[in-house]
Amino acid sequence: MTKNIISIALACGLTLPLIGCVTTTYPVATTKHYSVDSDTYQSTGKSQRIKTIVLHYTVSDNERSIKTLTTGNVSAHYLVLDNDDDKIYNLVPESERAWHAGDGGFSGRTILNDTSIGIEIVNAGIKPEYRDALKNGDMDYHPYEHYVAFDELQIKKVAELVQDIATRYDISPKNIIGHADMAPSRKIDPGAKFPWERLYKEYGIGAWYDEADKQEIMNRRTLVAPSVQEIKQAFRKYGYQINDTDTWDKPSRDVIYAFQLHFRPQQPTGNMDSETYAILQALNMKYAGRDDFY
């Protein structure tokens, strides 16, 4: 009898671990007890999620641009090749987040990937013979003639695309920007030869100053010139991120250069002068406070 008890105990001991491993499953409820009503009530306190359009150049040819933007850790919503055809390539749906902007900011927003549409344009950027021009220290910034021009068909494609996107999302003109505008110490694209003024005048795209306002500001006779801090505050008022030092240090000059690439592209020096300040003030007169960035 004792042997039988031991045998029974051993048998139970061997089966207990197996019992412990048994997983109890429960049925998952599949019946839906509600419906979403999108018609009865609607909030008025809302705005579009897309607030900014950021324009880039790829610094590459068609083949490498496609590979980089479709297989790597960078992306854009749209890609404009330099082919002679009528195609623009949509790489990321507008409803999804593309990885094109990176660190930087504009008009108070610092994570622009979340609220922007990125457009990449195939363009070499700086001409090959000038790519090392800054390395010897003789100059800090590339002048206008160092940049590669865009193809005429590319300009027309980009203009029509931006026009469509800006209309659909009701994007403020001043929030149609270049990569350099939001990351001036890292980027210089779409460069001095991107035709911002032409797009404004021919397609109604983006922001541009009124020449009469610029001239009026330049002709003012003031006894006291604006301080560095006052000028920097004017940059912030328009939307640029700039530090609060009392000098025109390199990061501050990077902002000036980015601004000049956009609004005075034939003379991008990185130095503050009366014309640059007049353009900045003319833009603030026209656009400051119109962000609709809620």
Side-chain angles (χ1 to χ4, degrees):
M1 183 175 180
T2 303
K3 289 182 178 180
N4 291 337
I5 294 172
I6 293 171
S7 298
I8 293 170
L10 288 172
C12 291
L14 291 173
T15 57
L16 283 174
L18 295 177
I19 294 172
C21 292
V22 173
T23 302
T24 304
T25 59
Y26 299 94
V28 177
T30 58
T31 303
K32 199 171 183 179
H33 292 92
Y34 70 92
S35 63
V36 176
D37 181 349
S38 302
D39 301 316
T40 304
Y41 309 107
Q42 284 287 296
S43 296
T44 58
K46 60 183 178 179
S47 63
Q48 293 284 0
R49 287 183 182 271
I50 302 301
K51 299 293 184 183
T52 311
I53 298 173
V54 184
L55 299 177
H56 311 252
Y57 60 39
T58 63
V59 197
S60 189
D61 58 21
N62 287 338
E63 184 178 351
R64 285 183 294 172
S65 297
I66 293 168
K67 182 177 181 180
T68 299
L69 292 168
T70 59
T71 64
N73 289 327
V74 295
S75 60
H77 294 92
Y78 293 97
L79 173 61
V80 180
L81 303 179
D82 60 8
N83 290 340
D84 186 13
D85 57 30
D86 61 354
K87 289 187 178 181
I88 294 175
Y89 294 90
N90 180 204
L91 307 183
V92 176
E94 290 182 4
S95 60
E96 296 180 9
R97 184 178 189 266
W99 300 345
H100 64 96
D103 293 336
F106 197 82
S107 284
R109 290 185 180 268
T110 56
I111 308 177
L112 291 188
N113 280 336
D114 290 351
T115 56
S116 67
I117 296 291
I119 301 172
E120 288 276 2
I121 312 163
V122 171
N123 179 279
I126 301 298
K127 295 176 182 178
E129 62 268 31
Y130 296 125
R131 287 176 186 165
D132 294 330
L134 307 184
K135 290 186 177 180
N136 59 15
D138 290 341
M139 61 176 67
D140 292 327
Y141 301 102
H142 289 285
Y144 176 82
E145 57 270 18
H146 285 196
Y147 287 87
V148 175
F150 292 84
D151 292 343
E152 180 66 19
L153 185 56
Q154 283 183 308
I155 295 169
K156 292 179 178 178
K157 288 180 183 180
V158 171
E160 292 175 7
L161 176 62
V162 172
Q163 195 175 49
D164 173 57
I165 296 170
T167 299
R168 285 190 285 110
Y169 293 106
D170 191 26
I171 294 175
S172 169
K174 66 189 287 290
N175 294 326
I176 299 173
I177 61 175
H179 204 181
D181 293 310
M182 59 145 298
S185 289
R186 295 192 303 112
K187 298 294 181 178
I188 57 175
D189 55 315
K193 291 190 177 177
F194 185 78
W196 292 105
E197 182 179 10
R198 178 181 168 190
L199 266 59
Y200 171 81
K201 291 182 176 178
E202 294 184 15
Y203 295 88
I205 292 170
W208 199 257
Y209 59 90
D210 292 338
E211 184 65 25
D213 291 338
K214 171 194 149 185
Q215 291 298 331
E216 192 274 330
I217 294 167
M218 290 189 70
N219 292 335
R220 287 177 187 170
R221 294 177 178 272
T222 56
L223 295 177
V224 181
S227 67
V228 173
Q229 285 293 349
E230 288 172 328
I231 297 173
K232 288 187 174 183
Q233 182 55 36
F235 275 111
R236 294 188 198 100
K237 185 178 180 182
Y238 188 75
Y240 285 88
Q241 289 188 324
I242 192 167
N243 64 34
D244 59 358
T245 65
D246 292 323
T247 61
W248 292 116
D249 51 18
K250 184 61 165 56
S252 303
R253 294 181 63 218
D254 291 343
V255 175
I256 296 171
Y257 182 68
F259 179 82
Q260 291 168 336
L261 286 176
H262 193 138
F263 295 107
R264 199 186 69 177
Q266 293 190 345
Q267 298 180 64
T269 63
N271 296 319
M272 198 66 208
D273 54 45
S274 60
E275 184 180 33
T276 300
Y277 180 68
I279 293 171
L280 176 59
Q281 289 292 68
L283 286 165
N284 277 329
M285 288 173 60
K286 191 172 181 179
Y287 297 108
R290 301 185 189 181
D291 302 83
D292 184 30
F293 250 48
Y294 292 99

